[in-house]
């Protein structure tokens, strides 16, 4: 009698495990097919009273000079994204004049500026994703950026050393939530 009961319990457990695996596989296939972003392993970051977005759980949030940055939680603390308040300083064809009004001290550079946005696109939430020519202490390079807009608030985050894959940037941009004041 006891062996029959154990046999039934083992079969029930096996069926339940099989159903869980099947559901997981179906969700994975559907999310890939529909480009639906599931944010398991991501956390919400509230940047002010009207705006939030999500980043991977293994990213640590910090702040320097009132500007956000996100880095690896490990000992080497590799910078992934950092905030800047300087917008495009120049238009294509302008002569470049750099002074204290166009530069900023942030986590990645004592003398950072965004020379010009090269290309960008806007998603359905109004979040802009693109590339910009930026300068870190006089060294120019192209970096990706995300720009969140809500009412009078603008938050611009740049990648550092192209450390963030474009799919992750898209996912961050798509996770934006905006609320009224």
């Amino acid at each position: 009698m006891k062996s029959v009961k154990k046999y039934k319990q083992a079969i029930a457990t096996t069926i339940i495990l099989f159903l869980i695996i099947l559901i997981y596989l179906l969700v994975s296939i559907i999310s890939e097919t529909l480009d639906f972003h599931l944010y398991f392993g991501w956390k919400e970051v509230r940047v002010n009273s009207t705006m939030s977005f999500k980043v991977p759980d293994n990213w640590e949030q910090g702040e320097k000079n009132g500007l956000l940055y996100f880095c690896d939680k490990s000992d080497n603390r590799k910078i992934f994204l950092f905030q800047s308040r300087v917008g495009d300083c120049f238009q294509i064809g302008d002569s470049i004049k750099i002074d204290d009004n166009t530069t900023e001290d942030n986590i990645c550079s004592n003398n950072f500026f965004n020379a010009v946005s090269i290309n960008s696109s806007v998603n359905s939430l109004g979040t802009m994703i693109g590339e910009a020519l930026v300068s870190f202490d006089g060294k120019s390079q192209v970096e990706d950026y995300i720009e969140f807009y809500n009412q009078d608030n603008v938050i611009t985050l740049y990648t550092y050393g192209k450390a963030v894959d474009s799919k992750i940037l898209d996912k961050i941009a798509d996770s934006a939530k905006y609320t009224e004041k």
Side-chain angles (χ1 to χ4, degrees):
M1 200 64 150
K2 287 184 180 180
S3 63
V4 171
K5 197 179 230 185
K6 285 183 181 182
Y7 179 73
K8 287 181 180 180
Q9 284 178 337
I11 289 176
T13 303
T14 304
I15 291 171
I16 290 171
L17 286 174
F18 176 78
L19 289 174
I20 290 171
I21 292 170
L22 185 63
I23 290 169
Y24 174 77
L25 289 174
L26 286 172
V27 167
S28 296
I29 290 168
I30 290 170
S31 68
E32 285 290 326
T33 304
L34 300 176
D35 197 26
F36 178 73
H37 298 303
L38 297 176
Y39 289 95
F40 298 118
W42 288 58
K43 62 185 173 189
E44 187 169 33
V45 175
R46 180 154 291 285
V47 291
N48 57 39
S49 62
T50 63
M51 191 182 319
S52 68
F53 56 87
K54 294 183 180 184
V55 297
D57 271 339
N58 64 337
W59 288 14
E60 188 171 288
Q61 179 180 345
E63 189 175 312
K64 180 182 178 190
N65 297 335
L67 300 170
L68 293 173
Y69 67 89
F70 297 93
C71 63
D72 191 345
K73 283 185 178 178
S74 69
D75 291 338
N76 67 1
R77 300 182 55 81
K78 178 181 176 182
I79 303 292
F80 295 121
L81 289 176
F82 67 95
Q83 180 184 3
S84 174
R85 287 196 185 99
V86 285
D88 288 356
C89 297
F90 310 99
Q91 297 297 318
I92 293 177
D94 287 352
S95 60
I96 295 178
K97 296 176 190 165
I98 301 169
D99 57 35
D100 289 340
N101 296 327
T102 58
T103 63
E104 165 181 272
D105 181 17
N106 59 40
I107 191 70
C108 297
S109 173
N110 294 323
N111 194 18
F112 173 82
F113 77 92
N114 171 11
V116 66
S117 293
I118 299 169
N119 66 49
S120 63
S121 63
V122 179
N123 74 5
S124 61
L125 299 169
T127 304
M128 185 179 299
I129 305 168
E131 289 182 315
L133 179 62
V134 298
S135 175
F136 296 96
D137 297 320
K139 181 183 170 195
S140 296
Q141 59 195 60
V142 174
E143 290 293 344
D144 295 323
Y145 71 92
I146 303 173
E147 201 159 70
F148 300 95
Y149 293 96
N150 189 33
Q151 298 169 359
D152 296 332
N153 298 310
V154 177
I155 304 287
T156 306
L157 299 170
Y158 292 90
T159 60
Y160 184 63
K162 296 274 190 178
V164 182
D165 181 79
S166 63
K167 287 182 181 182
I168 301 243
L169 285 178
D170 287 340
K171 200 168 175 178
I172 293 170
D174 290 345
S175 73
K177 289 184 184 173
Y178 303 110
T179 57
E180 302 274 332
K181 284 185 179 180

